[in-house]
Amino acid sequence: MCATCGCSDEAGVRIDGLAQPRAHEHGGDHEHEHPHGHGHDHGHGHGSRTVLLEQDVLAKNDLFARRNRSWLHEQDVLAVNLMSAPGAGKTTLLERTVRTLAAESPVCVVEGDQETRLDADRIRSAGAPVVQVNTGAGCHLDAAMLRRALDTLDPPAGAVLFVENVGNLVCPALFDLGEHYRVVLLSVTEGQDKPLKYPHMFTGADLVVVNKIDLLPHVDFRFEAFEHDVRSINPRVEILSLSATRGTGLPAWFQWLRGHRAPSRHLTAEVEGTP
């Protein structure tokens, strides 16, 4: 069990891809490392063991994440981690995005769900190579899962890689995958109080996308209050509003992606310092 969030370890994870995995050189002999701890006894009380195990889990995950980021940087692959609660519209937004961006550059997708290939089938129909990661009882993707997915997906140089994380506003926020940018998607039907209820998710976001704005006349969602709460948690974050179904606001989303095509200087510096 993962001490950080309580989900099961990688034993139940399934990687369902389009091709046989290819061994990438991510650095080091890490093929048998796993980011989930397995209950080391540090000789302390139960509370101390839990804290130490959490630190161990996240430290191992961060090591995988740095290696992923280094490999993505070397391949000139832009990686975007898309996170939201279930039903916010991640897959619909990705379908529209694939159909638009595929004409400009290669687009690949890693789909994270506990079960089924439903979302992966939708993305494949939209025209993008996709790998499905089923986490079983797990409530998030981690950096080791992404590494395995990358080995199978093998994104070409210059590609845009989208990672659709498991639908959850809690645990995905804790795990760095090695992505360049984090995008949090929220639909107006979920209510405007989510930034205050789930601050960790919004604290780490580079962009917050408010979806389903075509339903604003029918729900109690005050955009000004929502924006105030988001910026009180994360003053630097960018905020966009759109309707993935109707297409309203999508040009601004595409422009954001094009504008962030090259990793920023601080990310490049971090990659260069990767052990």
Side-chain angles (χ1 to χ4, degrees):
M1 300 293 285
C2 170
T4 303
C5 63
C7 71
S8 60
D9 62 23
E10 276 204 76
V13 174
R14 301 190 303 278
I15 308 293
D16 187 0
L18 301 176
Q20 293 297 318
R22 192 187 79 172
H24 292 305
E25 294 182 1
H26 295 272
D29 55 348
H30 61 281
E31 290 298 323
H32 301 288
E33 297 180 34
H34 298 281
H36 287 73
H38 295 281
H40 306 296
D41 187 355
H42 296 278
H44 305 290
H46 177 73
S48 298
R49 287 201 303 272
T50 300
V51 171
L52 290 170
L53 186 54
E54 282 188 12
Q55 294 173 345
D56 187 43
V57 167
L58 292 176
K60 288 182 179 179
N61 181 81
D62 288 347
L63 175 61
F64 276 98
R66 289 195 297 272
R67 289 169 173 167
N68 287 346
R69 188 173 290 112
S70 178
W71 184 86
L72 291 165
H73 178 74
E74 291 169 1
Q75 294 295 113
D76 189 30
V77 173
L78 173 69
V80 178
N81 184 4
L82 188 58
M83 300 177 285
S84 79
K90 294 190 301 297
T91 310
T92 300
L93 180 60
L94 281 179
E95 287 177 304
R96 299 291 294 261
T97 303
V98 166
R99 292 189 177 105
T100 297
L101 292 188
E104 304 174 14
S105 61
V107 179
C108 304
V109 179
V110 173
E111 278 289 342
D113 279 306
Q114 289 189 323
E115 296 293 344
T116 80
R117 293 167 46 102
L118 295 175
D119 288 350
D121 290 342
R122 290 173 59 183
I123 296 300
R124 187 175 294 112
S125 295
V130 58
V131 166
Q132 179 74 55
V133 180
N134 288 130
T135 60
C139 54
H140 59 86
L141 297 178
D142 62 31
M145 296 177 199
L146 180 60
R147 177 186 61 80
R148 292 169 59 190
L150 288 173
D151 288 342
T152 302
L153 188 59
D154 194 16
V160 178
L161 171 71
F162 292 99
V163 180
E164 182 174 352
N165 220 311
V166 179
N168 185 345
L169 285 177
V170 182
C171 299
L174 301 175
F175 287 82
D176 182 7
L177 305 181
E179 71 273 27
H180 296 112
Y181 299 102
R182 290 186 163 200
V183 175
V184 176
L185 186 69
L186 180 115
S187 70
V188 299
T189 57
E190 297 172 66
Q192 68 193 42
D193 57 357
K194 294 303 178 289
L196 299 181
K197 288 185 174 182
Y198 303 98
H200 293 293
M201 177 60 76
F202 290 86
T203 298
D206 297 292
L207 174 68
V208 172
V209 176
V210 180
N211 190 25
K212 304 185 183 181
I213 59 172
D214 52 306
L215 299 179
L216 275 172
H218 310 289
V219 296
D220 182 14
F221 187 99
R222 292 183 298 133
F223 194 90
E224 295 78 8
F226 172 81
E227 184 175 12
H228 175 271
D229 290 342
V230 171
R231 297 200 185 282
S232 70
I233 296 168
N234 185 351
R236 67 178 178 81
V237 74
E238 297 181 69
I239 302 175
L240 296 178
S241 59
L242 54 80
S243 170
T245 301
R246 300 290 181 89
T248 308
L250 284 179
W253 161 243
F254 298 141
Q255 188 60 38
W256 186 90
L257 290 169
R258 294 180 183 113
H260 290 78
R261 180 62 191 82
S264 64
R265 291 181 180 178
H266 78 274
L267 288 170
T268 302
E270 178 183 344
V271 168
E272 291 174 348
T274 301

